Amino acid sequence: SIGHAAKDNPNFTWWVVNRLAFLVGSTNLASFAVYFLQGRMGLERELAAKPASQLLLIVGVFILFLALPSGWLADKFGRKPLVAISGFVAAAGTLVLILAPNMTVIYAGGVLVGAGTGLFYAANWALGTDLVPKEEAGRYLGISNLAGAGAGAVGAYIGGPIADSFTLHLPGQPGIGYVVLFAIYGFLFLFSVLALTKIQINPVKSASIIE
């Protein structure tokens, strides 16, 4: 979409990769929460609806709590460190969800996922504004919305068949497909941190923005 300009600004490309990887994980953890609880905790059909809604509420509350101060934290401690922390925190939360023996621990995992996602939103967007050419900021940031809009489609359209395939081939382990799927999303949180290491920030430019 930006043609040859992509070669001149690889930092922007890696930022979009970072954003896509993280949002695929965070968006689709919510999308498959009901199915995950059905398989992981053995909850039957509608019995999974209430704990799933409570889990999503917890995640949403902590996204709100951490999104508000994350912009200030990004200015104070740097965009990249905060985005990296958000990836590690969300990955840790996903690991807790996968290994949790009961709903209480699953809710604790939801706290970590929500906190990581809340930190990510403002810090990642602030990082993006540092990387795009100021004279074409609207064009570049508009293109970056492909990561946000595409995250749900990528995670759901690919994730669903992956979960079904594992469940079909391992019938003796109910819900294994969604456990594997959540593990993939957790890996994507870590991959988002790896993509972040490819982004190089101009120290002079960053300093002038902060000033």
Side-chain angles (χ1 to χ4, degrees):
S1 298
I2 58 177
H4 294 293
K7 296 180 180 179
D8 299 328
N9 193 353
N11 290 328
F12 174 77
T13 301
W14 281 112
W15 174 69
V16 173
V17 172
N18 163 262
R19 186 170 178 80
L20 177 63
F22 190 99
L23 293 179
V24 166
S26 63
T27 300
N28 291 284
L29 283 176
S31 300
F32 291 107
V34 171
Y35 305 109
F36 173 76
L37 292 180
Q38 286 176 345
R40 182 69 180 79
M41 305 306 294
L43 299 174
E44 295 291 334
R45 298 182 177 85
E46 67 278 2
L47 294 180
K50 181 178 179 180
S53 63
Q54 291 173 333
L55 174 61
L56 296 182
L57 176 62
I58 290 171
V59 172
V61 167
F62 276 85
I63 289 176
L64 177 61
F65 282 167
L66 271 297
L68 293 174
S70 64
W72 175 82
L73 291 172
D75 286 339
K76 185 174 180 60
F77 299 106
R79 281 84 154 117
K80 283 184 65 176
L82 204 63
V83 175
I85 289 171
S86 70
F88 287 125
V89 171
T94 306
L95 181 62
V96 172
L97 291 174
I98 293 172
L99 300 179
N102 54 55
M103 284 305 306
T104 300
V105 180
I106 283 181
Y107 291 146
V111 169
L112 291 175
V113 171
T117 304
L119 288 174
F120 177 84
Y121 278 140
N124 176 266
W125 199 248
L127 176 62
T129 60
D130 286 351
L131 298 174
V132 301
K134 302 309 175 188
E135 64 278 6
E136 295 184 280
R139 176 189 177 197
Y140 276 76
L141 293 177
I143 292 171
S144 74
N145 282 327
L146 292 172
V154 170
Y157 295 158
I158 297 177
I162 290 175
D164 290 342
S165 177
F166 275 92
T167 300
L168 179 64
H169 289 92
L170 296 170
Q173 301 184 52
I176 186 63
Y178 291 100
V179 173
V180 171
L181 190 58
F182 271 42
I184 292 173
Y185 293 150
F187 169 78
L188 286 175
F189 288 133
L190 295 177
F191 180 76
S192 74
V193 178
L194 179 62
L196 187 67
T197 64
K198 302 293 185 179
I199 299 173
Q200 302 299 320
I201 301 295
N202 185 325
V204 175
K205 181 180 178 181
S206 298
S208 64
I209 291 174
I210 293 174
E211 290 172 1

